[in-house]
Amino acid sequence: MKLISLLGNSQKLDGGAMFGNAPKAMWERWYECDDLNRIHLQCRCLLVQHEGKNILFETGVGAFFAPNMRERYGVQEPQHVLLASLAEHKIKPEDIDIIVMSHLHFDHAGGMLSSYSDDTPPKLVFSNAQVIVSEAAWQRAIMPHARDKASFIPELNKLLETSGRLHRVQGTRSELLGDEFRFHYSDGHTPGMLLTEITSDEGPVVFAADLIPGTAWVHVPLSMGYDRYPEILIDEKRRLLADLNARQGKLFFTHDPSIAMGTVHLGDKGKFGVVEKIETV
């Protein structure tokens, strides 16, 4: 099994929204912000090569936004960065066998769509990929609440539904993936978010998605302004961190500006953190 960290399109988002319950005097010590109060965030994806299959965990925000929307949401690059990252490893979009989505917010799922064009409707970029998402996350995407409706992409939902390649899971395993992969579920950020645990050669690795988007959010009390149920999220985070700490497990971070993965560690003062941080896998 081989794990490869891939960069997708990056974003600059409001630091106050990303650190919803922490004051700026605290969070600006962790991440620098620009004059618009925005911090730099990656949309990092994980490629797992296993038993002859290319398994992609998330696709980032991609380049599907029209220019005005790209500016609104702070997407930094006009081109589809994930496709270029895959090309560096000599992998074409049609070579991806499976895509595992934690949830379908646009900054995680937009990369499944082709780049914006004035006169061409979007299409699915990964033409052969089977797409895995939880049933609860799918239901949320097609029937969102008014609070998070803008986070979803109706065009993507329609394309996935008619593709014949959408797999909506409810249990902890998927036959497509096999026994080396199992799902944890989280509802705090959005209902039905899948956190996939990968049994790698170096121990368990959990794709942390938006439960723990980066190293700073390993601090248990932190939550984002985007989280639907912050208290539930904090409890979910504490349970996962305690479990991984006991098993010397690792977290893969999708939004951290520089760190791709780290090992969960419980410090002397009873606070969780990550050690053995690495920028690439």
Side-chain angles (χ1 to χ4, degrees):
M1 181 181 287
K2 186 176 183 181
L3 278 63
I4 302 170
S5 175
L6 300 171
L7 291 181
N9 293 67
S10 63
Q11 287 185 273
K12 288 188 176 181
L13 291 178
D14 185 81
M18 289 300 297
F19 291 102
N21 63 335
K24 183 178 180 181
M26 179 180 291
W27 61 255
E28 69 178 349
R29 298 186 312 218
W30 304 325
Y31 296 146
E32 293 182 1
C33 64
D34 64 14
D35 55 359
L36 296 177
N37 214 46
R38 302 178 306 175
I39 60 174
H40 181 76
L41 298 167
Q42 297 292 358
C43 288
R44 188 179 289 106
C45 310
L46 176 62
L47 177 68
V48 178
Q49 295 180 316
H50 181 59
E51 296 184 345
K53 292 182 178 180
N54 289 314
I55 305 167
L56 184 61
F57 287 84
E58 298 196 339
T59 60
V61 66
F64 78 98
F65 273 137
N68 64 320
M69 297 299 287
R70 188 173 74 235
E71 182 178 359
R72 176 183 296 182
Y73 289 110
V75 180
Q76 297 299 290
E77 308 88 358
Q79 75 277 15
H80 201 312
V81 175
L82 175 59
L83 300 188
S85 296
L86 286 166
E88 290 177 6
H89 295 273
K90 296 180 169 49
I91 296 173
K92 296 175 289 188
E94 57 266 31
D95 295 331
I96 299 298
D97 298 291
I98 301 170
I99 297 174
V100 183
M101 297 303 307
S102 65
H103 60 303
L104 292 172
H105 286 172
F106 65 74
D107 57 324
H108 297 255
M112 282 192 278
L113 293 173
S114 54
S115 298
Y116 174 78
S117 171
D118 280 330
D119 51 10
T120 305
K123 64 179 181 179
L124 295 176
V125 170
F126 301 98
S127 56
N128 295 320
Q130 306 295 314
V131 179
I132 295 173
V133 67
S134 81
E135 177 65 29
W138 175 253
Q139 292 301 323
R140 187 68 173 195
I142 63 175
M143 294 183 293
H145 189 275
R147 188 178 186 273
D148 61 359
K149 184 176 181 179
S151 296
F152 297 102
I153 313 170
E155 298 89 347
L156 175 62
N157 298 340
K158 295 173 184 176
L159 288 169
L160 288 174
E161 192 167 28
T162 58
S163 70
R165 294 183 278 114
L166 179 65
H167 300 261
R168 292 142 55 178
V169 300
Q170 298 186 64
T172 59
R173 303 280 182 181
S174 167
E175 290 184 5
L176 284 177
L177 294 173
D179 291 338
E180 289 80 8
F181 304 83
R182 73 181 179 101
F183 304 130
H184 303 264
Y185 285 81
S186 170
D187 295 317
H189 178 66
T190 187
M193 189 166 68
L194 283 184
L195 309 174
T196 306
E197 179 175 325
I198 304 159
T199 305
S200 74
D201 297 335
E202 298 181 2
V205 176
V206 172
F207 190 97
D210 278 344
L211 178 68
I212 308 175
T215 54
W217 292 269
V218 173
H219 185 46
V220 171
L222 279 182
S223 64
M224 296 187 289
Y226 303 111
D227 296 330
R228 291 290 292 119
Y229 306 107
E231 292 185 5
I232 291 175
L233 179 136
I234 288 169
D235 292 341
E236 292 170 338
K237 189 195 306 189
R238 182 184 291 108
R239 287 194 296 269
L240 179 65
L241 290 169
D243 175 47
L244 289 179
N245 176 66
R247 296 188 287 138
Q248 297 182 314
K250 297 176 174 62
L251 291 169
F252 185 89
F253 302 108
T254 184
H255 287 314
D256 195 278
S258 59
I259 303 300
M261 193 165 74
T263 301
V264 177
H265 173 71
L266 184 62
D268 295 336
K269 296 182 179 180
K271 292 184 178 181
F272 289 105
V274 287
V275 295
E276 302 171 356
K277 302 174 187 177
I278 54 177
E279 294 186 4
T280 57
V281 181

